[in-house]
Amino acid sequence: MARENPAEKALGLLRSRLCDPNFAFKALSHSDDSNYSKLKFLVSSSITEACNNSILLLGPRGSGKIAVLELVLSDLLQEYPDMISVIRLSGLLHGSDNCAFKEIARQLCMEHQLVFSRMASFDDNSQFMIAMLRECGLAHKTIIFVLDEFDLFALGKQKLLYSLLDAMQSVTSQAVVIGVSCRLDADMLLDKRVRSRFSHRKLLFLPPANEDIQRLLQHILSLPTDSSFPPDYAVAFNAKLQNILADERFKEIISIYLNFDSTVKHLLRYLFRAVSYMDLESGMLSLENFKAALSNIQRHPKLECIKDCSILELYILVCMKRLEVKEQNSYNFNSVMKEYKSIHDSVKTSDYFARNVCLRAFEHLLQRELIGFTDNRGQNHSVEFSPVKLLVSFHELHQGLKSYGSCPAILQQLMDRQK
């Protein structure tokens, strides 16, 4: 058999890492201030000290709440294999109290090798849960309840949350309730009787800092030097990666992407796309890989429309942007023509068109939805006098002009002055 190409093997390794959120978050879990360390300390102390606890993990989708939680549970199951039972519920699947209690009973029966009755009533399952909490407490075994989409459990009468938190008030029970939600006000959705039994501990999952991003990139994209890779290849690959990470152009690319989406989940998706562009002949990552991935992700329909505009239409768009910069909140075609004439008079460009030609270009921009009427009444009045607004951002217009092959230099200069 032919030996596997080191470049193909490296590509497979990097892709497998990027598909494993647990591996990615290991790089962010070493600090004592990390959410991983705080959550692990809380749960492990509850296990060792035989006490009850509850906590909420809050943050936007893709911020790593579930990944960090799974990392903590995996470590604790290895440290305390006979002292933990994990019950997992989702508000999307088990939103009703009856369904939630039945799922808890099913998982407890499976965990402790008991017979589960599908015909058990709501009260039977509720009493069974309370009895199991008491028995596990006496056996010094902690039950960890993971409630994903926690805010959905707060809908309705909240019988599950009340029964669970009320049972944890007993000295004989031993449990930890971990709620996961993308709503930062999830605790405020709780009824007064439930809130009084909740510990009000919360962990916020915020976008990672620049130092954490650098550590994450290094952790994921570096090749191990003590593995089956040829030593020279691994060293050269890592050296090339260090040069890319230190390049200011790369930092700008990452900054642009993080402004677009700062969650770790989507950053991993972006890196997967960038790694997939790696040249298998050289076997090295390059700055062009990350540029290509960024341009592929940041496809804006407005930019493509700007590229198809005529020179006159570009002039009209720039004139409208200049009017907005001058804080002229309401303007129409006549206002745009005055600005167009002022540019021509000050610069003496050869790109000057008749008014009727400009009006047709203006109407074409309306059809392309690069500009639009400020209200519905504009559609019933003359186009020349109806108030209009620009439907493209400054960044989109600036990028569109830069990528336009035959864009007049004066338009670029006018846009640069507006920065």
Side-chain angles (χ1 to χ4, degrees):
M1 291 179 62
R3 292 183 60 186
E4 187 177 6
N5 185 357
E8 294 179 355
K9 188 174 181 181
L11 180 60
L13 175 64
L14 295 180
R15 281 175 167 173
S16 64
R17 287 177 176 178
L18 292 167
C19 291
D20 183 8
N22 291 347
F23 180 87
F25 277 94
K26 284 180 182 177
L28 307 178
S29 62
H30 300 299
S31 171
D32 293 336
D33 293 331
S34 66
N35 286 333
Y36 167 86
S37 300
K38 293 175 182 177
L39 181 60
K40 185 176 181 180
F41 174 78
L42 175 76
V43 180
S44 60
S45 61
S46 301
I47 296 170
T48 55
E49 297 173 12
C51 60
N52 298 311
N53 255 317
S54 55
I55 188 172
L56 283 178
L57 311 183
L58 306 176
R61 298 191 187 279
S63 57
K65 302 182 296 295
I66 293 294
V68 169
L69 175 59
E70 291 297 334
L71 205 56
V72 169
L73 293 178
S74 175
D75 292 347
L76 291 177
L77 285 170
Q78 292 181 3
E79 295 177 22
Y80 311 102
D82 300 324
M83 298 177 64
I84 300 176
S85 291
V86 181
I87 305 298
R88 303 172 190 272
L89 299 177
S90 171
L92 295 172
L93 300 175
H94 316 110
S96 69
D97 294 322
N98 187 30
C99 181
F101 276 116
K102 183 175 289 187
E103 180 62 18
I104 290 174
R106 187 191 69 80
Q107 293 188 35
L108 285 173
C109 288
M110 183 180 297
E111 179 76 18
H112 297 88
Q113 299 179 350
L114 301 174
V115 178
F116 170 65
S117 173
R118 294 179 180 272
M119 305 303 295
S121 66
F122 175 87
D123 291 334
D124 291 338
N125 289 327
S126 175
Q127 292 300 319
F128 174 73
M129 182 193 73
I130 295 173
M132 288 299 296
L133 281 172
R134 182 172 59 251
E135 293 298 324
C136 288
L138 294 173
H140 302 290
K141 188 169 185 177
T142 299
I143 300 180
I144 300 176
F145 293 90
V146 177
L147 306 182
D148 194 11
E149 304 292 346
F150 179 84
D151 51 288
L152 298 182
F153 288 103
L155 302 177
K157 297 182 179 180
Q158 304 182 8
K159 288 183 179 180
L160 170 68
L161 297 177
Y162 176 75
S163 300
L164 196 53
L165 294 173
D166 187 61
M168 290 168 57
Q169 306 303 309
S170 171
V171 293
T172 58
S173 65
Q174 191 172 334
V176 178
V177 173
I178 303 175
V180 183
S181 176
C182 61
R183 288 192 59 167
L184 300 182
D185 63 342
D187 58 325
M188 302 307 296
L189 301 174
L190 302 177
D191 292 341
K192 186 177 180 180
R193 61 173 187 161
V194 178
R195 197 181 306 157
S196 64
R197 289 163 171 77
F198 182 67
S199 67
H200 296 282
R201 291 186 178 90
K202 292 185 282 189
L203 282 181
L204 295 179
F205 285 73
L206 303 174
N210 290 333
E211 298 79 11
D212 294 332
I213 292 293
Q214 285 294 109
R215 191 161 65 249
L216 180 68
L217 294 172
Q218 180 109 18
H219 174 69
I220 293 177
L221 300 179
S222 296
L223 294 182
T225 55
D226 56 347
S227 65
S228 56
F229 288 102
D232 294 341
Y233 173 73
V235 170
F237 186 95
N238 292 338
K240 176 74 172 178
L241 176 64
Q242 289 297 326
N243 292 335
I244 294 174
L245 296 181
D247 195 323
E248 290 298 327
R249 293 172 295 173
F250 173 78
K251 294 179 181 179
E252 183 180 357
I253 291 172
I254 294 297
S255 176
I256 291 173
Y257 182 78
L258 292 178
N259 289 334
F260 172 69
D261 193 323
S262 59
T263 59
V264 176
K265 176 182 178 180
H266 287 91
L267 177 62
L268 296 179
R269 188 178 299 174
Y270 163 71
L271 293 176
F272 187 95
R273 190 182 295 267
V275 164
S276 299
Y277 285 124
M278 186 175 79
D279 182 15
L280 294 180
E281 291 186 8
S282 64
M284 301 290 171
L285 289 172
S286 66
L287 190 64
E288 284 66 31
N289 300 150
F290 297 93
K291 286 182 179 179
L294 182 64
S295 62
N296 192 286
I297 286 177
Q298 287 189 314
R299 293 190 64 186
H300 298 293
K302 299 290 186 185
L303 282 178
E304 296 178 4
C305 287
I306 292 174
K307 292 178 184 178
D308 294 334
C309 287
S310 65
I311 298 295
L312 175 57
E313 291 168 351
L314 294 181
Y315 268 99
I316 293 175
L317 293 174
V318 172
C319 289
M320 293 179 67
K321 177 54 67 176
R322 281 168 60 86
L323 291 173
E324 289 186 356
V325 171
K326 293 177 182 179
E327 298 183 356
Q328 189 168 335
N329 296 326
S330 179
Y331 53 86
N332 54 25
F333 173 73
N334 293 325
S335 306
V336 175
M337 288 306 299
K338 289 180 182 178
E339 186 67 25
Y340 177 52
K341 187 175 185 306
S342 68
I343 293 175
H344 171 70
D345 292 341
S346 61
V347 186
K348 301 297 182 184
T349 66
S350 59
D351 302 315
Y352 193 72
F353 299 87
R355 181 183 176 87
N356 61 333
V357 178
C358 294
L359 182 58
R360 286 201 299 271
F362 190 81
E363 292 172 342
H364 188 237
L365 290 174
L366 284 169
Q367 294 173 1
R368 301 288 298 276
E369 296 186 352
L370 291 173
I371 63 176
F373 297 111
T374 55
D375 54 45
N376 294 329
R377 291 178 299 175
Q379 299 177 0
N380 301 323
H381 294 79
S382 173
V383 173
E384 299 179 49
F385 304 102
S386 301
V388 292
K389 60 184 176 180
L390 197 58
L391 299 181
V392 293
S393 66
F394 176 86
H395 177 73
E396 288 173 329
L397 182 54
H398 192 250
Q399 290 297 319
L401 293 177
K402 288 174 65 176
S403 59
Y404 197 94
S406 56
C407 177
I410 182 59
L411 293 182
Q412 291 278 13
Q413 295 171 11
L414 291 172
M415 288 299 292
D416 291 337
R417 292 174 193 168
Q418 308 302 327
K419 284 187 176 182

